């Protein structure tokens, strides 16, 4: 995808904040990138992160049943220490993408802030989460929501003792 967009390793490295070495290793199948790394690459390539996950059939129905949600990280709900990202929209053809995101205590993406085109909206269903926008912390709890430009460097942290469950919407879809 990088080559198809006419980008060099150095250019992709610059826009993602990832080293040229790790980008090269991922391209050659010699590294197993984290979900956060894949998100950085997707944003750098200006594609939805879901494009990296092959073999996930897209639904023709407008309905997504709870049991049929596609897990974007290919991990189980019981995974310890990992956030779970489940797609609430049936496919990636629309202009928005909604996710059910469950983040365990200690989950922190501050090492890899996100910056990409579009706008984001988050609604906290249960638990608490800190959302950082350009270094400013917004502490959210059950029932709170936040909306912001995705072009602002942003990251998330669950510093609390309980799992945080939230609905996250991106427009246009960036994941």
């Amino acid at each position: 995808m990088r080559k198809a967009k006419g980008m060099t390793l150095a250019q992709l490295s610059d826009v993602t904040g990832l080293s040229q070495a790790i980008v090269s290793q991922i391209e050659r199948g010699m590294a197993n990138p984290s979900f956060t790394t894949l998100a950085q690459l997707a944003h750098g390539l200006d594609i939805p992160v879901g494009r990296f996950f092959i073999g996930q059939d897209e639904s023709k129905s407008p309905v997504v049943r709870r049991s049929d949600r596609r897990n974007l990280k290919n991990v189980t709900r019981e995974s310890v220490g990992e956030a779970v990202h489940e797609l609430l929209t049936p496919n990636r053809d629309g202009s928005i993408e909604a996710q059910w995101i469950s983040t365990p205590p200690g989950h922190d993406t501050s090492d890899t802030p996100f910056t990409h085109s579009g706008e984001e909206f988050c609604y906290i269903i249960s638990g608490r989460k800190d959302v950082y926008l350009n270094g400013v912390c917004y502490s959210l709890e059950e029932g709170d929501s936040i909306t912001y430009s995705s072009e602002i460097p942003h990251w998330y942290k669950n510093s609390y003792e309980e799992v945080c469950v939230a609905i996250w919407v991106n427009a246009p879809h960036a994941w």
Side-chain angles (χ1 to χ4, degrees):
M1 290 182 209
R2 172 185 62 80
K3 289 179 183 175
K5 291 193 171 273
M7 295 178 81
T8 66
L9 278 173
Q11 289 170 323
L12 186 56
S13 175
D14 286 344
V15 296
T16 62
L18 299 169
S19 72
Q20 289 184 45
I22 193 65
V23 173
S24 176
Q25 289 174 357
I26 292 167
E27 286 184 349
R28 292 179 288 132
M30 299 179 73
N32 188 11
S34 69
F35 185 75
T36 302
T37 299
L38 288 177
Q40 288 175 271
L41 287 169
H43 296 156
L45 293 166
D46 198 27
I47 61 169
V49 77
R51 291 261 316 265
F52 289 129
F53 300 98
I54 13 183
Q56 294 199 22
D57 296 330
E58 295 202 352
S59 174
K60 303 286 186 227
S61 171
V63 176
V64 176
R65 303 283 178 207
R66 181 179 185 170
S67 61
D68 293 332
R69 290 184 199 154
R70 288 181 288 150
N71 188 327
L72 294 177
K73 290 183 67 173
N74 292 327
V75 296
T76 64
R77 289 178 189 265
E78 294 78 24
S79 291
V80 178
E82 288 287 330
V84 175
H85 293 249
E86 294 178 327
L87 193 59
L88 296 174
T89 44
N91 57 51
R92 296 181 300 266
D93 295 335
S95 59
I96 64 167
E97 182 173 274
Q99 293 183 45
W100 176 278
I101 300 179
S102 175
T103 51
H107 186 262
D108 182 355
T109 65
S110 61
D111 287 342
T112 54
F114 302 104
T115 305
H116 51 92
S117 63
E119 188 172 14
E120 296 187 32
F121 167 83
C122 170
Y123 175 78
I124 304 295
I125 295 171
S126 64
R128 297 182 286 172
K129 179 180 277 192
D130 295 331
V131 176
Y132 291 83
L133 303 178
N134 209 21
V136 177
C137 179
Y138 297 89
S139 295
L140 305 176
E141 56 187 47
E142 184 174 324
D144 291 346
S145 62
I146 189 169
T147 303
Y148 55 92
S149 168
S150 302
E151 294 177 6
I152 298 169
H154 53 283
W155 61 93
Y156 320 103
K157 187 173 184 179
N158 182 349
S159 305
Y160 308 100
E161 295 181 8
E162 68 269 14
V163 171
C164 178
V165 177
I167 292 179
W168 221 278
V169 179
N170 292 291
H173 61 82
W175 289 93

